[in-house]
């Protein structure tokens, strides 16, 4: 018998909600938005979050923001974070800050990292109350409370500062103390953030090279191999550099880069081309660098010009160098 009354309406709303979830998981965002909207109309307030997410995926940011704002007003503790993300898409940094503060007040631990990100990159924008110092302090508080994401973000931030500071570079990274704050943060965040794992590996690699720490270097290799095997292109590129420069394993470095390039990583053509040139395979190196140029890699274009000057100076002068 057909259901009627409140029970029937709730069942119909739940059915539409389920349709929305299935469509969203299949990447059919327009269909998902329509199903979630019907569920909301039938009284399913929980569908507002799914509706907002589907609208975000469709690039309908204003409508997504309205859905998330309504969910916040109706007491959904998870919607504040999504509201902030929608506002960031519209570059409403003050609005995003406000939404993340709401999520923070509702006890959503993820809000701390998002709020710190707004303060770090958009402090000084109209209406934004925090800045870099506030972001750093907030991340430290969250990290000390055991938030792995906060550890990852703060650790990669401090690592970047060490590697880019005046007179820094590898020397700056090598100067970071073993077991110090940066290493502790990166280790705590390595399991949840690929950038933290990569920076930890490079810290250990640099320590191994500059301080002769064989154990650190071995751990770096293992971390980079793990990252590369999981599909992280930065780990693969760093692994190839380690194999080439530290171990003299040119065959191993070439295998890593060739596999990465053929798998679609544009940056790898540049690195592979330079490696082939160093191996004396000049014709192949030119072809590989040219592939990087055709794929849109600006660095490959720069290095191809330098390559042609080195190997075809007369043709470069005449404008007839082979590409």
């Amino acid at each position: 018998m057909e259901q009627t009354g409140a029970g029937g309406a709730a069942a119909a709303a739940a059915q539409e909600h389920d349709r929305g979830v299935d469509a969203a998981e299949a990447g059919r965002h327009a269909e998902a938005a329509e199903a979630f909207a019907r569920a909301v109309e039938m009284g399913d307030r929980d569908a507002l979050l799914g509706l907002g997410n589907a609208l975000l995926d469709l690039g309908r940011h204003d409508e997504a923001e309205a859905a998330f704002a309504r969910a916040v007003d109706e007491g959904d503790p998870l919607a504040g974070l999504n509201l902030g993300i929608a506002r960031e898409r519209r570059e409403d940094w003050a609005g995003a800050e406000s939404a993340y503060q709401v999520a923070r007040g509702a006890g959503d631990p993820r809000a701390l990292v998002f709020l710190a990100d707004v303060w770090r990159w958009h402090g000084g924008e109209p209406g934004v109350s925090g800045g870099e110092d506030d972001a750093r302090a907030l991340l430290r508080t969250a990290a000390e409370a055991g938030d792995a994401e906060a550890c990852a973000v703060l650790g990669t931030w401090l690592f970047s500062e060490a590697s880019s500071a005046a007179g820094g570079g590898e020397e700056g990274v090598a100067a970071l103390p073993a077991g110090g704050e940066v290493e502790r943060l990166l280790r705590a965040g390595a399991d949840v953030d690929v950038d933290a794992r990569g920076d930890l590996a490079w810290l250990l690699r640099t320590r191994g090279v500059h301080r002769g720490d064989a154990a650190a270097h071995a751990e770096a290799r293992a971390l980079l191999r793990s990252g590369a095997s999981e599909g992280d292109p930065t780990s693969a590129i760093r692994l190839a550099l380690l194999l080439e420069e530290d171990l003299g394993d040119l065959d191993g470095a070439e295998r890593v880069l060739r596999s990465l390039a053929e798998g679609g990583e544009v940056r790898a053509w540049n690195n592979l081309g330079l490696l082939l040139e160093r191996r004396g395979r000049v014709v192949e190196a030119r072809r590989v660098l040219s592939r990087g140029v055709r794929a849109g890699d600006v660095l490959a274009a720069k290095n191809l010009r330098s390559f042609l000057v080195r190997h075809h100076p007369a043709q470069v002068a005449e404008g007839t160098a082979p590409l």
Side-chain angles (χ1 to χ4, degrees):
M1 187 172 69
E2 185 175 322
Q3 289 182 305
T4 60
Q15 190 174 45
E16 291 296 339
H17 194 147
D18 290 342
R19 285 196 184 107
V21 171
D22 291 342
E25 289 179 347
R28 302 191 305 272
H29 303 302
E31 181 182 334
E34 291 171 1
F36 285 129
R38 287 193 294 269
V40 171
E41 289 174 2
M42 294 174 181
D44 181 2
R45 297 296 177 259
D46 291 339
L48 283 166
L49 197 61
L51 173 59
N53 288 331
L55 292 168
L56 263 190
D57 288 325
L58 291 168
R60 294 158 61 179
H61 300 149
D62 289 349
E63 295 172 77
E65 180 180 346
F68 293 136
R70 182 178 170 187
V72 169
D73 290 342
E74 297 193 10
D76 187 337
L78 298 177
L81 191 76
N82 298 61
L83 177 59
I85 293 169
R87 287 174 173 170
E88 284 205 53
R89 297 280 179 89
R90 297 194 303 101
E91 299 186 0
D92 176 8
W93 312 119
E97 177 191 33
S98 175
Y100 294 143
Q101 290 284 26
V102 169
R104 180 186 184 187
D108 189 338
R110 300 169 299 168
L112 298 177
V113 171
F114 283 82
L115 178 59
D117 189 70
V118 170
W119 285 348
R120 177 184 178 186
W121 297 110
H122 304 290
E125 296 278 352
V128 176
S129 65
E132 276 199 8
D133 290 343
D134 302 293
R136 198 185 300 256
L138 184 61
L139 288 171
R140 276 209 170 88
T141 299
E144 288 167 2
D147 186 325
E149 290 284 356
C151 290
V153 172
L154 182 56
T156 55
W157 183 356
L158 298 177
F159 178 87
S160 176
E161 287 185 338
S163 60
S164 61
E170 288 205 351
E171 293 294 341
V173 173
L176 292 170
E181 180 186 29
V182 176
E183 183 178 340
R184 291 197 307 272
L185 288 167
L186 292 175
R187 286 190 182 281
D191 288 339
V192 299
D193 186 275
V194 66
D195 292 330
R197 180 170 61 181
D199 284 352
L200 173 62
W202 210 241
L203 184 155
L204 294 168
R205 177 263 176 180
T206 306
R207 183 182 301 155
V209 171
H210 288 261
R211 298 191 189 180
D213 188 333
H217 200 274
E219 185 180 0
R221 291 199 303 277
L223 286 168
L224 292 175
R225 287 191 187 281
S226 175
S229 69
E230 293 174 14
D232 174 35
T234 300
S235 288
I237 286 172
R238 283 173 160 174
L239 175 61
L241 186 62
L242 180 151
L243 292 171
E244 177 188 354
E245 294 191 352
D246 301 353
L247 303 180
D249 182 3
L250 303 185
D251 289 340
E254 182 179 338
R255 283 194 298 272
V256 170
L257 290 173
R258 194 173 294 280
S259 174
L260 190 62
E262 292 173 352
E265 175 54 45
V266 171
R267 295 175 297 168
W269 292 114
N270 173 72
N271 295 57
L272 178 59
L274 295 178
L275 174 60
L276 292 170
E277 182 188 10
R278 285 190 287 272
R279 304 197 76 176
R281 290 152 60 185
V282 176
V283 173
E284 187 180 2
R286 175 178 54 77
R287 291 174 180 162
V288 165
L289 286 171
S290 294
R291 288 197 65 170
V293 174
R294 290 196 298 273
D297 184 7
V298 174
L299 187 56
K302 176 183 176 181
N303 284 325
L304 178 58
R305 287 193 294 270
S306 299
F307 173 95
L308 293 173
V309 168
R310 287 192 296 274
H311 296 283
H312 303 281
Q315 292 95 323
V316 169
E318 296 170 358
T320 59
L323 295 177

